[in-house]
Amino acid sequence: MSNRESFDCINNWIKECVAHCKSGVPFILVGNKCDIQKRQVSIEEGKACAQKYNCDFLETSAKLNINIDKLFELIAIKMTDSFLLNLQRPIEDPVSLEDRHESIKCC
Protein backbone atom coordinates (compact mmCIF):
# COMPACT_ATOMS: atom_id res chain seq x y z
CA MET A 1 0.00 0.00 0.00
CA SER A 2 3.11 2.11 0.07
CA ASN A 3 3.97 2.06 -3.63
CA ARG A 4 1.58 3.47 -6.25
CA GLU A 5 3.89 2.51 -9.11
CA SER A 6 3.87 -1.13 -8.04
CA PHE A 7 0.08 -1.12 -7.68
CA ASP A 8 -0.30 0.36 -11.16
CA CYS A 9 1.66 -2.59 -12.63
CA ILE A 10 -0.80 -5.23 -11.37
CA ASN A 11 -2.69 -5.31 -14.68
CA ASN A 12 0.50 -6.12 -16.61
CA TRP A 13 1.60 -8.77 -14.12
CA ILE A 14 -1.74 -10.55 -14.25
CA LYS A 15 -1.71 -10.48 -18.07
CA GLU A 16 1.75 -12.09 -18.02
CA CYS A 17 0.62 -14.78 -15.59
CA VAL A 18 -2.46 -15.56 -17.65
CA ALA A 19 -0.37 -15.72 -20.83
CA HIS A 20 2.23 -18.10 -19.37
CA CYS A 21 0.36 -20.19 -16.79
CA LYS A 22 -2.23 -22.90 -17.07
CA SER A 23 -5.79 -21.68 -16.78
CA GLY A 24 -7.30 -21.63 -13.34
CA VAL A 25 -4.23 -20.39 -11.50
CA PRO A 26 -5.49 -18.64 -8.37
CA PHE A 27 -4.43 -15.08 -7.58
CA ILE A 28 -4.26 -13.30 -4.25
CA LEU A 29 -3.75 -9.55 -4.21
CA VAL A 30 -1.62 -8.63 -1.19
CA GLY A 31 -1.16 -5.07 -0.01
CA ASN A 32 1.98 -5.00 2.11
CA LYS A 33 3.08 -2.39 4.64
CA CYS A 34 -0.43 -1.64 5.85
CA ASP A 35 1.19 -0.25 9.01
CA ILE A 36 2.62 2.88 7.35
CA GLN A 37 1.05 6.29 7.86
CA LYS A 38 1.53 7.69 4.33
CA ARG A 39 -0.44 5.33 2.12
CA GLN A 40 -0.27 5.64 -1.64
CA VAL A 41 -3.01 3.05 -2.26
CA SER A 42 -6.27 2.95 -0.30
CA ILE A 43 -7.98 -0.15 1.02
CA GLU A 44 -10.89 0.60 -1.30
CA GLU A 45 -8.59 0.64 -4.35
CA GLY A 46 -7.09 -2.70 -3.32
CA LYS A 47 -10.53 -4.26 -2.85
CA ALA A 48 -11.76 -2.87 -6.17
CA CYS A 49 -8.71 -4.23 -7.99
CA ALA A 50 -9.17 -7.65 -6.41
CA GLN A 51 -12.85 -7.63 -7.39
CA LYS A 52 -11.89 -6.70 -10.97
CA TYR A 53 -9.66 -9.78 -11.19
CA ASN A 54 -11.96 -11.98 -9.12
CA CYS A 55 -9.33 -12.72 -6.49
CA ASP A 56 -8.89 -12.41 -2.75
CA PHE A 57 -7.43 -9.26 -1.22
CA LEU A 58 -5.50 -9.06 2.01
CA GLU A 59 -3.49 -6.30 3.63
CA THR A 60 -0.39 -7.33 5.55
CA SER A 61 2.47 -5.93 7.57
CA ALA A 62 5.54 -8.07 7.99
CA LYS A 63 6.92 -5.51 10.43
CA LEU A 64 3.96 -5.79 12.81
CA ASN A 65 3.01 -9.37 11.90
CA ILE A 66 -0.43 -8.36 10.65
CA ASN A 67 -2.25 -11.04 8.61
CA ILE A 68 0.96 -12.96 7.84
CA ASP A 69 -0.41 -16.25 9.19
CA LYS A 70 -3.73 -15.58 7.50
CA LEU A 71 -1.94 -15.00 4.16
CA PHE A 72 -0.07 -18.31 4.35
CA GLU A 73 -3.27 -20.12 5.32
CA LEU A 74 -5.04 -18.56 2.33
CA ILE A 75 -2.19 -19.58 0.01
CA ALA A 76 -2.39 -23.17 1.30
CA ILE A 77 -6.17 -23.24 0.80
CA LYS A 78 -5.92 -21.83 -2.73
CA MET A 79 -3.19 -24.30 -3.68
CA THR A 80 -5.15 -27.24 -2.29
CA ASP A 81 -8.36 -26.15 -4.02
CA SER A 82 -6.50 -25.69 -7.31
CA PHE A 83 -4.84 -29.10 -6.99
CA LEU A 84 -8.14 -30.84 -6.26
CA LEU A 85 -9.84 -29.06 -9.15
CA ASN A 86 -7.08 -30.17 -11.52
CA LEU A 87 -7.52 -33.77 -10.40
CA GLN A 88 -11.10 -33.64 -11.64
CA ARG A 89 -10.17 -32.38 -15.11
CA PRO A 90 -9.55 -34.90 -17.90
CA ILE A 91 -5.96 -35.40 -18.97
CA GLU A 92 -5.37 -33.46 -22.18
CA ASP A 93 -2.85 -35.86 -23.73
CA PRO A 94 -3.25 -39.26 -22.09
CA VAL A 95 -0.63 -41.95 -22.52
CA SER A 96 -1.91 -45.09 -24.18
CA LEU A 97 -0.55 -48.32 -22.77
CA GLU A 98 -1.91 -50.31 -25.71
CA ASP A 99 0.53 -48.74 -28.17
CA ARG A 100 3.55 -50.23 -26.40
CA HIS A 101 6.05 -52.07 -28.52
CA GLU A 102 8.03 -55.05 -27.36
CA SER A 103 11.02 -53.83 -25.44
CA ILE A 104 14.31 -54.06 -27.21
CA LYS A 105 17.08 -55.55 -25.19
CA CYS A 106 20.34 -53.70 -25.21
CA CYS A 107 22.54 -56.64 -24.21
Side-chain angles (χ1 to χ4, degrees), residues 16-84:
E16 285 293 313
C17 287
V18 169
H20 298 289
C21 296
K22 290 183 177 183
S23 64
V25 173
F27 292 98
I28 303 171
L29 182 60
V30 179
N32 196 23
K33 299 185 181 179
C34 67
D35 58 288
I36 64 167
Q37 297 299 318
K38 293 186 178 182
R39 297 176 69 102
Q40 292 186 9
V41 181
S42 70
I43 294 172
E44 291 76 20
E45 288 175 291
K47 288 179 179 179
C49 184
Q51 187 174 20
K52 176 181 175 181
Y53 293 108
N54 193 31
C55 65
D56 291 293
F57 172 69
L58 192 63
E59 284 198 324
T60 63
S61 168
K63 182 178 180 179
L64 299 179
N65 194 26
I66 297 172
N67 286 334
I68 301 301
D69 289 342
K70 187 174 181 178
L71 174 60
F72 280 97
E73 289 171 10
L74 186 57
I75 291 169
I77 289 167
K78 293 291 182 182
M79 289 176 64
T80 302
D81 289 350
S82 179
F83 175 76
L84 293 174

